[in-house]
Amino acid sequence: MVVCNSRSLSSSILLVFLFCFFSFSHGVPHLHALRSPSLSSGELIEEAKYVAEITKGTLRTLLQEVPPGNENSSLVLAAERTYRKDPLNDFKRYTGGWNIDDRHYWASVSFTAAPLFLIAAVWFLGFGLCLMLICLCHFCCTRQSYGYSRIAYALSLVFLILFTIAAIVGCVVLYTGQGKFHNTTTKTLDYVVNQADSTVKKLNEVSGYLGSAKQTGVNKVFLPSNVQTDIDNIEAKIDSSASNLSNQTSKNSQRIRDLLDSVRMALIVIAAVMLLLTFLGFLFSLFGLKFLVYLLVIIGWILVAGTFILCGIFLLLHNVTADTCVAMNQYVQHPAAHTALDKIIPCVDNATAQETLMRTKEVSSQLVEVINTVISNVSNINFAPNFVPMYFNQSGPLVPKLCNPFRPDLTNRVCSAGEVDYDNATQVWKTYVCQVSASGICTTTGRLTPSMYDQIGVAFNLSYGLYNYGPFLVSLQDCTFVRQTFTDIYRDHCPDLRHYSRYIYIGLVMVSAAVMLSLVFWVIYGRERRHRVYTKNYDRSHEENKATT
Ligand SMILES: *[C@@H]1O[C@H](CO)[C@@H](O)[C@H](O)[C@H]1NC(C)=O
Ligand SMILES: *[C@@H]1O[C@H](CO)[C@@H](O)[C@H](O)[C@H]1NC(C)=O
Ligand SMILES: *[C@@H]1O[C@H](CO)[C@@H](O)[C@H](O)[C@H]1NC(C)=O
Ligand SMILES: *[C@@H]1O[C@H](CO)[C@@H](O)[C@H](O)[C@H]1NC(C)=O
Ligand SMILES: *[C@@H]1O[C@H](CO)[C@@H](O)[C@H](O)[C@H]1NC(C)=O
Ligand SMILES: *[C@@H]1O[C@H](CO)[C@@H](O)[C@H](O)[C@H]1NC(C)=O
Ligand SMILES: *[C@@H]1O[C@H](CO)[C@@H](O)[C@H](O)[C@H]1NC(C)=O
Ligand SMILES: *[C@@H]1O[C@H](CO)[C@@H](O)[C@H](O)[C@H]1NC(C)=O
């Protein structure tokens, strides 16, 4: 599911960044107009210009689409594993590697199961023909004298018992195999669903932080209305991605769960029916119930053909699973290569992603500076009442500045004393909010009006959103997230998936072969048994004749 949706997800994430930086590059200069002349030549504007400048460059890199599969550097996934004969191409070897879009891939992997399909066909036709001949003989041929051999009789009995036991063992293998297979597939599915859900949760959180820009009413110091529209768009994009991902996840996971349950049920039924068939067939032929034996033979004839086909399907599934596991591993191992997965999961290259990450840090850091400038140059200064836009009767203890998590060179910085950090800055600032008169002048002690507090909160949320979720958004953009998911699947789930799909396939082969041979020996043993009875009767009547003469 992650895979299905990552195309739209990635492109929307790309859009998010586009909008994000677009907003800042256009939005920040508005500070210029909104701040009073006393600050117009101050640092605030310089910073704003700087933010605009650095984001323009980012825009250009982000606009570049993910480069299409470059033939020169493309990596054939699971090349060794998938080097198989391709019946669609004159049985030449298939060299395209793992690629579920390629019908040659499917043809070549289906061909691995060909022997099993062939056995099913040969059995169905061959044994059908035998049954017809037996029928014909039964009705048309005259009874010939029977030759009876003790050895043939004993051998047929031994084989009958042997194949019955083999069939029972096969059923047990199949039954335990399906339990484990179901367990493994469910665990894998749960893991993938969990990854998707945590992505949706984080996207919703990001959306929550960006969404605070939506607040309307108070005059916008940091976010003029056109910027707000852009941020609303970003938020809508993220929400729609999250909603799509969530809807697809729940829909697909339910479908897959239903499918797995059906497979499980089908395998249990097959194991049970085969067990019953073997057991009854053995009993009936032992007691010489000819009609019932032939009835079971006909049922078994069709069932065995069916299980051989199922076997083929499981072998195919097993091979595709193993191919996919190898392909996922190679995809993770070669992050720079272009592969068949690029069509499904488009990723930006590492350099672009690192660039984006730097930009999120930079913008986040600049927003902190903007907030701090307002705090130190407006809130924490006692202006004369005639200094109108700056004066709002601010008084009381000074508002602490927000800790900038980055140094100017964007390396991590530890907070200095007296700074508040992202964790509780808004709570701390809340204690500095005063009550205001109708004209927006503080009537109680405090250095932030409620409207200022809200606007600082919006800038804070944007800064925090980029700081906290930037790496996550970048990991979606450059597929680090997908690679991590693949690594986990390859390490934790692939061995079991491979092992138990093989287990089921072997169980099915055992059951089909053993039941097939049992069927044959029900008929052979039945005949031998009748010959024996007939010969005994013949001998007895012969001796009686001798005795009377
Ligand atoms: C692929 O390699 C050939 C020569 O080896 C070169 O001419 C061509 O430009 C390359 N294509 C790309 C997309 O790099
Ligand atoms: C900041 O974001 C949080 C979490 O989404 C939200 O609860 C809060 O109201 C936002 N703050 C502002 C000032 O919008
Ligand atoms: C979400 O799904 C709808 C319909 O299923 C589609 O029209 C829309 O483009 C999708 N949005 C994203 C961001 O993928
Ligand atoms: C996801 O499902 C919810 C509820 O079923 C629906 O309201 C929403 O529109 C769906 N979203 C998309 C993008 O399909
Ligand atoms: C991307 O580059 C950074 C350093 O520039 C490096 O630490 C990281 O491992 C690279 N990631 C990938 C997936 O190549
Ligand atoms: C406050 O504004 C003055 C100009 O009015 C400027 O020189 C000073 O650097 C500013 N202080 C801060 C912390 O931005
Ligand atoms: C904020 O966090 C700091 C350290 O984490 C703590 O010392 C301070 O009391 C907290 N303030 C509030 C208002 O929670
Ligand atoms: C200014 O604030 C003080 C409290 O700090 C208050 O007593 C005073 O009335 C306020 N002045 C105006 C004009 O509201």
Side-chain angles (χ1 to χ4, degrees), residues 37-44 47 369 372-374 376-378 381 401:
S38 69
L39 278 178
S40 66
S41 57
E43 264 184 26
L44 197 55
E47 276 165 10
E369 291 310 318
N372 284 343
T373 308
V374 170
S376 52
N377 259 4
V378 180
I381 292 180
K401 293 211 283 183

Side-chain angles (χ1 to χ4, degrees), residues 207-228:
S207 166
Y209 284 105
L210 299 186
S212 43
K214 242 186 189 159
Q215 291 172 335
T216 48
V218 287
N219 64 326
K220 297 287 176 285
V221 177
F222 297 110
L223 295 167
S225 65
N226 68 330
V227 180
Q228 206 158 69

Side-chain angles (χ1 to χ4, degrees), residues 415-426:
C415 300
S416 44
E419 289 181 333
V420 287
D421 60 16
Y422 279 130
D423 289 339
N424 63 8
T426 48

Side-chain angles (χ1 to χ4, degrees), residues 4-56:
C4 305
N5 279 287
S6 49
R7 180 194 282 270
S8 62
L9 195 66
S10 300
S11 36
S12 39
I13 295 305
L14 199 79
L15 278 172
V16 166
F17 278 103
L18 266 178
F19 275 115
C20 221
F21 289 108
F22 190 73
S23 309
F24 284 119
S25 62
H26 283 258
V28 174
H30 286 261
L31 290 166
H32 185 274
L34 283 157
R35 294 315 317 167
S36 64
S38 69
L39 278 178
S40 66
S41 57
E43 264 184 26
L44 197 55
I45 297 314
E46 285 312 308
E47 276 165 10
K49 278 186 182 157
Y50 184 51
V51 173
E53 211 42 58
I54 57 166
T55 49
K56 265 180 203 150

Side-chain angles (χ1 to χ4, degrees), residues 32 34 56 147 200 211 256 281 310 314 333 350 373 464 520 540:
H32 185 274
L34 283 157
K56 265 180 203 150
V200 168
I256 295 175
L310 205 64
F314 261 92
Q333 305 282 318
N350 194 15
T373 308
Y464 179 68
V520 172
R540 202 181 307 132

Side-chain angles (χ1 to χ4, degrees), residues 176-188:
T176 49
Q178 67 76 25
K180 290 183 171 158
F181 181 71
H182 190 262
N183 226 344
T184 321
T185 44
T186 307
K187 261 193 217 149
T188 312

